[in-house]
Amino acid sequence: MDIHISRVHFPVTTLGPGKRIGIWLQGCTIHCKGCISMDTWQFNINKVPLNDLKQVLEVWLPQCDGITISGGEPFDQENALFELLEFLNSYKTNILVYSGFSFETLKEKELVQNGFIDVLISEPYNHTETQTKRLLGSDNQQVHFLTPLGKREFATYLEQPLEKELDIHITEETVWLAGIPINGMKEITQAGKDNNVDLSHSQAVTKTK
């Protein structure tokens, strides 16, 4: 089976407690206005065999404190997501999954009921909402503790104040950020301009297909 991947990285420290493996899936049908990850909307790119991804993850899994899966929209690749989560659950670490679908849509799905996901963050990003809660891009989004492990690992973490924190990852060609920036990319872009740095980012993308 293949899976469409935007990127994977370890460690990520801004998408849940501890040093986490971050997995961003590629492809999204929801297209929230103001999304900071429009580069992950397009389907049919960055397709890799799921077994190849597992081999990469096997190197990091013994060292990680948890896993965060985002996108893109993970539930747009439900079969591949199921197999990925089945593999990850053999390592007995906590798993957080983001989805832009409503919980009403997701709650009857096997993946939400079978214990593979410890914490689910649901609901589409709403750029008109306030942003006052940790791990949420907008306050309409909902946190669901689906297992006792999820509640134990995340309840206290989520009660902590919202902070301006991002992981910065530098490759030969790009600089990319992991985390939930406050007010999207507005403050970051303005800070760049104030220091004579021109930044382009996925919120500026207009062509998505």
Side-chain angles (χ1 to χ4, degrees), residues 14-15 36-37 125 131 136-138 162-166 177-188 203:
T14 56
L15 292 173
I36 63 169
S37 301
Y125 169 70
Q131 182 191 15
L136 304 188
S138 56
L162 180 67
E163 297 179 355
K164 295 183 179 181
E165 54 182 9
L166 293 168
L177 307 177
I180 313 292
I182 298 173
N183 295 321
M185 289 295 295
K186 295 177 183 177
E187 291 186 6
I188 297 170
Q203 283 180 319

Side-chain angles (χ1 to χ4, degrees), residues 156-170:
T156 301
Y157 177 87
L158 288 165
E159 291 173 356
Q160 298 174 18
L162 180 67
E163 297 179 355
K164 295 183 179 181
E165 54 182 9
L166 293 168
D167 289 311
I168 300 176
H169 305 288
I170 301 172

Side-chain angles (χ1 to χ4, degrees), residues 12 18 29 37 42 48 56 98 160 184 202:
V12 174
T29 58
S37 301
Q42 186 177 343
V48 300
V56 173
Y98 279 88
Q160 298 174 18
S202 61

Side-chain angles (χ1 to χ4, degrees), residues 115-140:
F116 281 1
I117 299 171
D118 298 294
V119 180
L120 173 68
I121 295 179
S122 69
E123 315 306 317
Y125 169 70
N126 185 338
H127 73 289
T128 66
E129 283 270 352
T130 57
Q131 182 191 15
T132 64
K133 301 175 183 178
R134 204 166 195 191
L135 291 183
L136 304 188
S138 56
D139 286 347
N140 65 293

Side-chain angles (χ1 to χ4, degrees), residues 80-147:
L81 179 63
F82 186 100
E83 186 172 326
L84 174 61
L85 289 171
E86 186 176 40
F87 162 74
L88 293 173
N89 266 263
S90 66
Y91 284 84
K92 307 300 181 184
T93 189
N94 67 83
I95 299 174
L96 163 66
V97 175
Y98 279 88
S99 176
F101 288 112
S102 70
F103 190 65
E104 187 66 25
T105 299
L106 298 174
K107 65 182 182 181
E108 301 300 330
K109 291 185 177 292
E110 183 179 358
L111 274 175
V112 176
Q113 297 185 356
N114 66 4
F116 281 1
I117 299 171
D118 298 294
V119 180
L120 173 68
I121 295 179
S122 69
E123 315 306 317
Y125 169 70
N126 185 338
H127 73 289
T128 66
E129 283 270 352
T130 57
Q131 182 191 15
T132 64
K133 301 175 183 178
R134 204 166 195 191
L135 291 183
L136 304 188
S138 56
D139 286 347
N140 65 293
Q141 294 177 312
Q142 300 174 8
V143 179
H144 309 275
F145 300 126
L146 302 182
T147 68

